Amino acid sequence: GENVEQHPSTLSVQEGDSAVIKCTYSDSASNYFPWYKQELGKGPQLIIDIRSNVGEKKDQRIAVTLNKTAKHFSLHITETQPEDSAVYFCAARGSARQLTFGSGTQLTVLP
Amino acid sequence: DAGVIQSPRHEVTEMGQEVTLRCKPISGHDYLFWYRQTMMRGLELLIYFNNNVPIDDSGMPEDRFSAKMPNASFSTLKIQPSEPRDSAVYFCASRGDSEAFFGQGTRLTVV
């Protein structure tokens, strides 16, 4: 089955700096890659996703890149703000049709 | 739509008792997923349904766990008998064509 690895597990940045979180996947048939943000005491919330037919997608301060050849994708957050502090999960959906999640990254934005 | 609705939000029960978690998916979504989240194992898929039919229950840890979806607007996850190691946050998620949306979760504590 699919295996998703996520790095780093924790990330601290100064407010205004950029944050990058990276994931790799194993199933070459995977074609959908969402990113979720989970705040304390809440369920994961979809923030951006990308499909295998594009290499990059951007939504305001958030962007995701996908390299299908290398089987890795990344989340980029620019001009970070304290409210960006949360746990971020990457996921991949492949031939099994359900999402497999990475282990999560605790992002802390220092004021 | 109010999103995916789970109840109860918190449940504390004694070891050996039966626990039932409930989920109302987003109207029109034909996939429903049950996940368990712990610090040690992250987000684990327990079971998912498509059009009310269980498709993959390979993530269900033991026979003590069972899930049903009697109609398109309701699903339950039952643990009988419960054990302290079942303590976790249980999430329900639903999706239509692509994005999966999560509920707020049920925090289960078995003492």
Side-chain angles (χ1 to χ4, degrees), chain A residues 7 19-25 33 35 48 50 55-57 62-67 71-77 90:
Chain A
H7 300 280
V20 180
I21 303 170
K22 299 181 179 181
C23 289
T24 61
Y25 62 97
F33 307 90
W35 286 88
I48 194 167
I50 191 168
E56 184 174 359
K57 183 176 179 181
I62 295 174
V64 57
T65 60
L66 171 65
N67 183 327
K71 288 192 279 189
H72 67 69
F73 56 113
S74 301
L75 176 71
H76 304 252
I77 306 174
C90 64

Side-chain angles (χ1 to χ4, degrees), chain A residues 2-56:
Chain A
E2 176 69 278
N3 182 46
V4 177
E5 295 196 356
Q6 182 172 347
H7 300 280
S9 57
T10 60
L11 178 60
S12 292
V13 299
Q14 288 294 137
E15 182 177 357
D17 287 350
S18 295
V20 180
I21 303 170
K22 299 181 179 181
C23 289
T24 61
Y25 62 97
S26 61
D27 185 353
S28 56
S30 290
N31 58 9
Y32 176 66
F33 307 90
W35 286 88
Y36 286 83
K37 176 183 181 182
Q38 186 176 22
E39 297 175 323
L40 199 62
K42 297 185 178 181
Q45 182 180 14
L46 180 72
I47 55 172
I48 194 167
D49 56 12
I50 191 168
R51 298 180 189 282
S52 57
N53 57 346
V54 298
E56 184 174 359

Side-chain angles (χ1 to χ4, degrees), chain B residues 56-76:
Chain B
D56 184 353
D57 65 354
S58 58
M60 297 285 261
E62 299 172 36
D63 291 344
R64 299 183 295 106
F65 286 69
S66 62
K68 294 182 179 179
M69 191 165 186
N71 57 63
S73 60
F74 184 65
S75 177
T76 60

Side-chain angles (χ1 to χ4, degrees), chain B residues 34-45:
Chain B
W34 282 101
Y35 287 89
R36 179 172 67 177
Q37 186 176 39
T38 60
M39 287 294 293
M40 291 297 294
R41 301 174 70 91
L43 270 167
E44 301 175 277
L45 177 66

